[in-house]
């Protein structure tokens, strides 16, 4: 009897991408982290000083990337990277109290199914990654500060603000063979729209 050969398409691997602020957490963490790291008084002083800049950002006169970089530079420029990283590690204990239970359930479900999980966030990596490690997620794609040769934060970003299309761009850098994986995406805001369009299956989380 001759052997019959059947060509079967290999099963695709599965990747799940989760936004951080408002998706894995119940609120945005940027100002919460600033208050934790710099104190509430300095947080409010900075918000008062930058209120006009934030206003023109919402009017789309300047972009999100520039506004965010200016604001974070005011708080953290000149700080040693080591201190900033330690603040992020310390903040992870507080941030765990902000986690959204329903989304954590989805994350655990995808991990159980064998998906490779990424957290892709516009927030700064040093305060996002420590929280994610506690959730068993090692792969974090996020905005990052530039650090000079002396280990000092310059106040500039070393990568583009990880928002909108940049989220897709960052994922493609590490997972370029799009045809080889099935992609789930979870997010809650305008910054996740391009990732939703790129994914095979997505869920918008309601705050």
């Amino acid at each position: 009897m001759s052997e019959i050969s059947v060509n079967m398409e290999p099963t695709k691997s599965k990747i799940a991408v989760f936004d951080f602020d408002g998706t894995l957490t119940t609120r945005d963490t940027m100002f919460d982290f600033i208050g934790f790291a710099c104190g509430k008084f300095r947080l409010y002083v900075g918000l008062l000083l930058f209120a006009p800049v934030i206003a023109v950002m919402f009017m789309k006169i300047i972009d999100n990337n520039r506004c965010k970089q200016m604001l974070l530079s005011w708080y953290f420029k000149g700080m040693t990277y080591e201190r900033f990283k330690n603040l992020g590690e310390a903040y992870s204990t507080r941030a765990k109290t902000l986690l959204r239970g329903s989304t954590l359930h989805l994350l655990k479900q995808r991990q159980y199914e064998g998906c490779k999980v990424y957290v892709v966030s516009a927030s700064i990596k040093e305060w996002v990654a420590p929280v994610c490690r506690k959730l068993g997620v090692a792969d974090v794609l996020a905005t990052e500060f530039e650090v000079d040769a002396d280990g000092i934060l310059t106040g500039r970003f070393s990568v583009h603000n990880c928002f909108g299309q940049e989220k897709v761009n960052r994922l493609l850098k590490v997972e370029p063979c799009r045809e080889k994986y099935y992609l789930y995406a979870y997010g809650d805001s305008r910054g996740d729209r391009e990732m939703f369009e790129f994914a095979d299956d997505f869920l918008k989380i309601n705050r």
Side-chain angles (χ1 to χ4, degrees):
M1 181 182 293
S2 61
E3 185 176 301
I4 299 175
S5 177
V6 179
N7 293 323
M8 297 184 65
E9 183 179 346
T11 302
K12 288 185 177 183
S13 61
K14 294 181 180 180
I15 293 176
V17 170
F18 288 80
D19 171 54
F20 187 70
D21 294 293
T23 300
L24 281 172
T25 66
T26 55
R27 66 170 103 161
D28 291 338
T29 57
M30 185 174 78
F31 293 120
D32 194 62
F33 175 77
I34 293 171
F36 175 85
C38 303
K40 291 297 178 72
F41 178 75
R42 184 167 170 78
L43 167 64
Y44 295 137
V45 169
L47 288 176
L48 184 62
L49 289 173
F50 281 90
V53 177
I54 295 170
V56 296
M57 180 197 71
F58 282 113
M59 294 167 63
K60 299 187 177 180
I61 297 172
I62 65 171
D63 65 20
N64 176 286
N65 181 74
R66 185 180 173 194
C67 176
K68 183 176 177 179
Q69 186 169 246
M70 290 169 64
L71 183 64
L72 287 172
S73 178
W74 189 83
Y75 290 110
F76 298 112
K77 180 179 179 180
M79 181 179 287
T80 66
Y81 175 73
E82 191 65 26
R83 173 164 170 70
F84 185 70
K85 183 179 178 182
N86 289 340
L87 284 167
E89 294 285 349
Y91 177 71
S92 66
T93 300
R94 168 173 169 71
K96 281 190 72 175
T97 68
L98 306 177
L99 293 174
R100 186 185 298 279
S102 57
T103 313
L104 287 182
H105 176 76
L106 290 171
L107 185 147
K108 294 300 181 185
Q109 179 181 334
R110 294 301 173 210
Q111 289 174 322
Y112 178 77
E113 293 170 354
C115 291
K116 185 169 185 179
V117 174
Y118 286 90
V119 171
V120 186
S121 174
S123 282
I124 304 296
K125 188 173 184 177
E126 278 67 28
W127 77 70
V128 176
V131 183
C132 294
R133 284 198 300 272
K134 293 180 178 181
L135 300 177
V137 179
D139 296 295
V140 175
L141 307 175
T143 309
E144 299 178 36
F145 268 131
E146 180 183 80
V147 182
D148 70 15
D150 296 317
I152 304 298
L153 302 184
T154 67
R156 298 184 294 271
F157 295 155
S158 62
V159 294
H160 290 297
N161 184 34
C162 195
F163 177 91
Q165 182 60 38
E166 185 60 20
K167 289 191 171 190
V168 176
N169 296 343
R170 293 287 298 279
L171 180 64
L172 281 172
K173 283 184 179 180
V174 294
E175 299 286 354
C177 300
R178 179 63 184 88
E179 70 282 359
K180 293 185 178 180
Y181 56 87
Y182 189 93
L183 182 63
Y184 300 94
Y186 302 91
D188 74 297
S189 70
R190 160 66 188 84
D192 302 303
R193 187 174 68 189
E194 289 80 359
M195 187 65 81
F196 288 163
E197 293 171 353
F198 186 65
D200 296 292
D201 191 0
F202 72 88
L203 177 64
K204 184 173 183 180
I205 305 298
N206 294 319
R207 295 197 183 195

